[in-house]
Amino acid sequence: MGKDVIIACDFPTAETTLHFLDRFQGRKPFVKIGMELFYGEGPEVVRQLRRRGHRIFLDLKLHDIPNTVKKAMSVLRDLDVDLVNVHASGTVRMMEAALEGLTRPDGSRPLLVAVTQLTSTDQQALEKDLLIEKPMEDVVLHYALNARRAGLDGVVCSPLEAAKVHEACGPSFLAVTPGVRFPDGDAGDQKRVLSPAQAKSIGSDYIVVGRPVTAAEDPVAAYERCCAEFID
Ligand code: C5P
């Protein structure tokens, strides 16, 4: 899979999601299904989007004891999605268990990436809420190295951190980056943001874009702007 723009379909129902994607008329954007949609609609929404020909990032950010994560992953592997994730803070052992659960008997599996630190977390929250005294960048790189050690394919991080992740973990280790905003747009709750063009120049492999596309007056034009800046 090459560089691509993934639309975060943070909608409450399958109906709203399918209606939204109908606007793309024949184009099949790579989509992200998150907790809201998955918990609301269950696995059937994944199958529906699959049948329509979309590639899918199932963003459920698993974080539990290794055995539970392994078993949950073995359920997700049969949904035939392209990309799934866990929290790197669940430990190397948990990430290894996730990979085991995700791998099919024939050795194939979806890509697995780990969330380093959420792009809504800033240095102050890291220190005050999580009692982590290290600089954000050190924490992200440490978690990325843990993910690589566990055999994962990459991490979810801020585009601000993508270059450092590649430097530390190698160029083929994926940097999937939410926290993307147009320079003329609203950052909302995201704290560590870059534009699609900046994410490209800094080496993101996939950008995950939600509200700048889903809440745009013309979502198709906003998506195309992302693709033009990030891929072309
Ligand atoms: O609307 P917005 O572009 O902020 O959406 C970003 C999407 O990426 C959301 O679905 C959010 O859950 C997800 N995400 C994130 N930060 C992470 C991991 C995932 O914003 N570190």
Side-chain angles (χ1 to χ4, degrees):
M1 299 207 292
K3 271 186 189 295
D4 213 341
V5 174
I6 303 177
I7 302 178
C9 291
D10 293 323
F11 298 113
T13 64
E15 196 189 344
T16 337
T17 307
L18 297 177
H19 184 64
F20 169 77
L21 290 170
D22 281 343
R23 302 177 72 152
F24 289 79
Q25 295 187 336
R27 288 192 74 165
K28 300 288 177 194
F30 199 143
V31 295
K32 180 173 87 71
I33 297 178
M35 296 181 198
E36 182 183 11
L37 189 55
F38 191 79
Y39 292 152
E41 297 283 353
E44 187 48 30
V45 67
V46 176
R47 297 188 190 102
Q48 268 178 307
L49 290 172
R50 200 55 164 172
R51 281 198 294 275
R52 284 184 165 218
H54 292 278
R55 279 165 301 147
I56 297 171
F57 171 18
L58 188 55
D59 177 23
L60 300 181
K61 299 187 184 72
L62 275 65
H63 187 171
D64 208 317
I65 59 171
N67 185 54
T68 301
V69 169
K70 180 178 171 178
K71 287 184 170 170
M73 280 295 180
S74 70
V75 175
L76 297 186
R77 79 178 175 203
D78 295 331
L79 285 178
D80 193 29
V81 295
D82 299 279
L83 184 59
V84 293
N85 60 359
V86 292
H87 270 287
S89 52
T91 75
V92 172
R93 180 68 204 110
M94 189 207 76
M95 290 189 273
E96 287 169 345
L99 204 58
E100 281 169 38
L102 200 59
T103 306
R104 304 184 185 102
D106 67 0
S108 68
R109 61 169 176 80
L111 292 171
L112 177 61
V113 295
V115 176
T116 52
Q117 281 294 331
L118 295 171
T119 39
S120 53
T121 306
D122 59 12
Q123 186 67 38
Q124 197 190 7
L126 201 64
E127 290 171 15
K128 279 202 164 159
D129 299 357
L130 306 180
L131 287 185
I132 298 175
E133 300 289 341
K134 303 266 187 196
M136 176 67 76
E137 190 178 297
D138 293 6
V139 178
V140 168
L141 291 182
H142 181 67
Y143 284 15
L145 285 165
N146 281 352
R148 195 187 58 166
R149 188 147 65 93
L152 270 61
D153 303 295
V155 287
V156 184
C157 62
S158 155
L160 288 161
E161 292 136 9
K164 295 273 179 196
V165 164
H166 283 141
E167 232 174 81
C169 301
S172 59
F173 192 72
L174 301 174
V176 178
T177 62
V180 172
R181 290 293 180 267
F182 293 123
D184 46 330
D186 178 11
D189 55 352
Q190 297 283 17
K191 298 277 171 51
R192 309 190 326 273
V193 297
L194 280 186
S195 71
Q198 288 169 320
K200 176 185 183 174
S201 69
I202 225 162
S204 294
D205 296 287
Y206 295 94
I207 52 172
V208 178
V209 191
R211 289 160 290 180
V213 170
T214 55
E217 217 166 280
D218 184 344
V220 179
Y223 170 69
E224 274 163 5
R225 182 177 170 194
C226 286
C227 294
E229 286 191 19
F230 183 67
I231 308 170
D232 302 342

